[in-house]
Amino acid sequence: MAVILLSGGLDSALNLALAAREGKAATALTMRYGQRAEAPELTAAQALARHYGVRWRDVDMQWLGAVNPTSLTRGEQALPNLEIHELDKMELATPSMRAVWVANRNGVFLNIAAAFAEALGENEVMVGFNKEEAATFPDNSQSYIEAVNHALSFSTLNGVKVSSYTTQWDKSRILATAIEIGLPLNLVWSCYEAGPERCWKCESCRRSERALLAAGSAGKEWLGKMGRKV
């Protein structure tokens, strides 16, 4: 059985859905670390957990945001905005990543999730990593998972391991799979801003928009439902 690290975004939501299909989704954890989109992320995560019938709890990590002066945790700082055609340009995507980087966020989250897993008698932590974002976010990569698992072999008595269905997938494949299996995209929140509507300007929104456009008519239909005119 697995603990799902669930932000409420597309990638973690799909990993929850796929784990639930295999009957191994036990508990979903959502971290509150002072992120701009905390309220809609918590709403999305709780709704997704309820939809898939798994236990859900939020974990107070406000100290992490308090010591990290980045645009992801500081509302007064402007978020970087990229156009869709700029997402794969490393000279633009790398500064965008640095602007929203929260120090060792995934390292902290994975260790907390592993502690929950061990304490609950579960042996796996599922995360929503993907190949597309790993190009600029090194803590989304398969190499990082392997390194964390090596450390967890020492720090957990039951050998908790981190895994992800989507580590080698790009956003288009993630989105296409989500539509194929009926993931309720209306419950997902993949925007850096707090709403009430998605901004469609931040990097997260742009990546979702590109994937939805690549999904053809079904993706465009979902864009319309999400308030994005195409």
Side-chain angles (χ1 to χ4, degrees):
M1 298 296 286
V3 167
I4 315 297
L5 200 51
L6 182 65
S7 70
L10 175 62
D11 306 328
S12 63
L14 181 58
N15 275 270
L16 168 63
L18 294 174
R21 278 163 59 100
E22 292 188 0
K24 65 177 185 178
T27 303
L29 297 180
T30 305
M31 306 298 181
R32 294 187 292 108
Y33 59 98
Q35 67 269 43
R36 302 166 75 114
E38 179 179 296
E41 285 183 7
L42 288 173
T43 298
Q46 189 171 20
L48 287 161
R50 185 183 302 115
H51 179 81
Y52 287 104
V54 303
R55 296 188 300 266
W56 177 82
R57 66 174 295 170
D58 61 318
V59 181
D60 187 355
M61 298 289 297
Q62 296 296 326
W63 63 266
L64 183 60
V67 299
N68 277 268
T70 79
S71 59
L72 201 63
T73 58
R74 296 289 188 274
E76 70 276 9
Q77 294 186 22
L79 285 166
N81 296 328
L82 295 178
E83 299 296 331
I84 288 179
H85 69 273
E86 296 175 327
L87 291 172
D88 298 324
K89 295 181 178 180
M90 295 300 291
E91 70 275 16
L92 298 175
T94 298
S96 177
M97 174 274 290
R98 292 186 179 278
V100 298
W101 181 267
V102 177
N104 198 28
R105 181 182 62 174
N106 281 351
V108 174
F109 290 178
L110 288 175
N111 274 281
I112 289 173
F116 270 95
E118 181 178 9
L120 295 171
E122 296 157 9
N123 59 10
E124 189 173 8
V125 173
M126 302 288 307
V127 293
F129 291 172
N130 68 84
K131 180 176 68 174
E132 183 173 317
E133 289 177 309
T136 48
F137 290 85
D139 61 350
N140 264 242
S141 66
Q142 182 61 36
S143 295
Y144 179 60
I145 288 179
E146 292 168 4
V148 170
N149 285 341
H150 180 66
L152 290 176
S153 71
F154 293 93
S155 63
T156 59
L157 292 179
N158 64 337
V160 173
K161 290 188 176 182
V162 176
S163 63
S164 176
Y165 293 100
T166 56
T167 311
Q168 301 300 326
W169 297 8
D170 61 16
K171 288 282 187 178
S172 294
R173 182 176 176 185
I174 289 170
L175 198 285
T177 303
I179 292 174
E180 179 184 350
I181 68 170
L183 175 68
L185 294 174
N186 57 301
L187 301 183
V188 171
W189 187 263
S190 291
C191 178
Y192 288 155
E193 295 282 13
E197 302 295 332
R198 294 166 178 81
C199 72
W200 298 110
K201 295 179 180 179
C202 69
E203 181 178 341
S204 185
C205 278
R206 291 297 196 190
R207 291 189 184 279
S208 294
E209 182 179 11
R210 180 170 69 174
L212 284 161
L213 290 171
S217 58
K220 290 180 180 179
E221 182 179 347
W222 271 112
L223 274 172
K225 292 177 181 179
M226 293 176 178
R228 180 63 165 169
K229 296 180 180 180
V230 294

